[in-house]
Amino acid sequence: MTVSDPVVEEVVATISRSATEIRQGLIGRRGTVDGENPSGETQAEADVWADELLGDRLASIDGVGQYASEERPDVVDCGDDPATSDAYAVAVDPLDGSSNLKSNNAMGTIFGVYDAALPARGETLVAAGYVLYGPITTLVIATDETVAEYELSGGERRLVERDVTVPEEPVVYGFGGRVPDWPDDFRAYAREIERELKLRYGGALIGDVNQVLTYGGTFGYPALESRPAGKLRLQFEGNPIGYVVEQAGGRSSDGERSLLAVEPDELHDRSPLHVGNDELIDRLEAALA
Ligand code: AHG
Ligand code: MN
Ligand code: MN
Ligand code: MN
């Protein structure tokens, strides 16, 4: 099953074809480099390498006017301006959960295709999704029509689910940050959820969100006392994941509103990130009101 918009299809096909190469290329790139990324975080060799590989390929697609990455300070202009043409802007987290590389745990690649110049509100997304480097390499793609899941192998993608939806009954939860750093109102909500659901927290947003899409529940990286904007980046993580979960029938929130409605100031803005079953997100927002 291909995506109807030819430019989006080319973006998705490029990422699918690159996924097998990225997975293979993780071997031997598990160390860190001296540099820091624009969020001030230590970079893994694989972060830089995956960004260069994806950046070159995605920026050369006709119809992609901008490329931006968690690993690069500025947007790369690579064609028509998405603000004044029908070109798209592609935002990528080349390797999500790269700290899991050392411990060989799940990681991912996240992408968002925006019909606007970056930084942009998530409402301007026309497609978003992620590759999950788990026991199987899978790809989840959300468009305004559906959320589909594929298995990737040798550059090919095989459709395994054409209508991914968040299951009605929530089962799992995962909350990031350290418990003493949680604001009291969030901690009270978390204590309720901990009594109702099973803990699943793997340290990579993509792995944890895929659990929520598969079993139902909620994932949150909340606003912390020490960092009120939380840890995760709106353009590269919050918006694409919020779009996927909302298209799958769930909700997203920064604690007050849909992540897709948050107006960004800067390309690397962070935002509290909550996704999952709608009633759980409703309860979260009530607890933080
Ligand atoms: P990235 O590797 O792209 O920087 O993302 C890491 C993020 C996200 O994947 C995950 O949910 C979160 O960091 C985990 O943070 P902690 O290590 O603080 O739990
Ligand atoms: Mn990082
Ligand atoms: Mn990430
Ligand atoms: Mn990353």
Side-chain angles (χ1 to χ4, degrees), residues 37 39 41-44 47 70-71 93 95-99 231 233 237:
N37 72 6
S39 299
E41 294 164 346
T42 305
Q43 290 174 304
D47 279 323
E70 172 192 292
E71 306 304 335
D93 178 354
L95 278 186
D96 171 66
S98 55
S99 58
K231 173 182 183 182
R233 278 80 20 153
E237 294 163 313

Side-chain angles (χ1 to χ4, degrees), residues 134-159:
I136 296 168
T137 307
T138 52
L139 169 75
V140 168
I141 314 170
T143 61
D144 60 0
E145 293 149 23
T146 182
V147 181
E149 181 185 21
Y150 301 81
E151 288 178 354
L152 301 185
S153 164
E156 296 302 312
R157 68 184 206 240
R158 187 172 74 83
L159 182 65

Side-chain angles (χ1 to χ4, degrees), residues 14-277:
T14 302
I15 290 172
S16 307
R17 283 195 300 270
S18 304
T20 308
E21 203 173 335
I22 289 176
R23 186 177 190 119
Q24 193 58 35
L26 298 176
I27 297 168
R29 293 188 171 90
R30 299 171 69 179
T32 54
V33 297
D34 293 342
E36 279 186 347
N37 72 6
S39 299
E41 294 164 346
T42 305
Q43 290 174 304
E45 291 169 76
D47 279 323
V48 177
W49 173 76
D51 173 48
E52 282 163 8
L53 182 148
L54 287 170
D56 290 347
R57 294 177 184 176
L58 293 171
S60 62
I61 295 172
D62 278 347
V64 172
Q66 289 186 327
Y67 171 82
S69 151
E70 172 192 292
E71 306 304 335
R72 297 186 195 210
D74 306 309
V75 174
V76 175
D77 288 319
C78 46
D80 297 339
D81 181 347
T84 56
S85 73
D86 55 7
Y88 292 133
V90 178
V92 174
D93 178 354
L95 278 186
D96 171 66
S98 55
S99 58
N100 278 353
L101 201 43
K102 193 170 174 185
S103 54
N104 192 27
N105 291 105
M107 299 166 56
T109 293
I110 309 173
F111 66 93
V113 183
Y114 293 83
D115 189 9
L118 298 177
R121 283 194 327 282
E123 285 159 350
T124 63
L125 283 164
V126 294
Y130 56 85
V131 175
L132 173 55
Y133 306 105
I136 296 168
T137 307
T138 52
L139 169 75
V140 168
I141 314 170
T143 61
D144 60 0
E145 293 149 23
T146 182
V147 181
E149 181 185 21
Y150 301 81
E151 288 178 354
L152 301 185
S153 164
E156 296 302 312
R157 68 184 206 240
R158 187 172 74 83
L159 182 65
V160 292
E161 176 54 64
R162 68 174 54 243
D163 184 20
V164 175
T165 49
V166 178
E168 278 298 307
E169 275 314 304
V171 173
V172 299
Y173 78 94
F175 296 138
R178 297 173 192 282
V179 175
D181 206 3
W182 289 349
D184 292 344
D185 51 9
F186 177 75
R187 193 186 354 265
Y189 164 76
R191 288 287 176 257
E192 281 177 26
I193 298 297
E194 285 163 359
R195 283 198 293 273
E196 298 168 25
L197 305 180
K198 287 197 296 188
L199 172 59
R200 287 287 184 276
Y201 189 84
L205 172 66
I206 289 307
D208 295 329
V209 166
N210 207 58
Q211 294 248 23
V212 168
L213 275 181
T214 307
Y215 299 114
T218 185
F219 171 85
Y221 206 108
L224 303 173
E225 295 290 2
S226 63
R227 27 187 349 180
K231 173 182 183 182
L232 301 180
R233 278 80 20 153
L234 183 65
Q235 298 296 301
F236 307 104
E237 294 163 313
N239 281 339
I241 294 307
Y243 183 86
V244 168
V245 175
E246 291 192 10
Q247 292 303 98
R251 279 203 60 201
S252 80
S253 179
D254 66 350
E256 291 173 35
R257 65 181 73 74
S258 164
L259 286 166
L260 307 186
V262 176
E263 191 65 48
D265 294 320
E266 305 290 335
L267 182 63
H268 295 279
D269 277 357
R270 299 175 193 270
S271 166
L273 182 156
H274 300 275
V275 289
N277 288 73

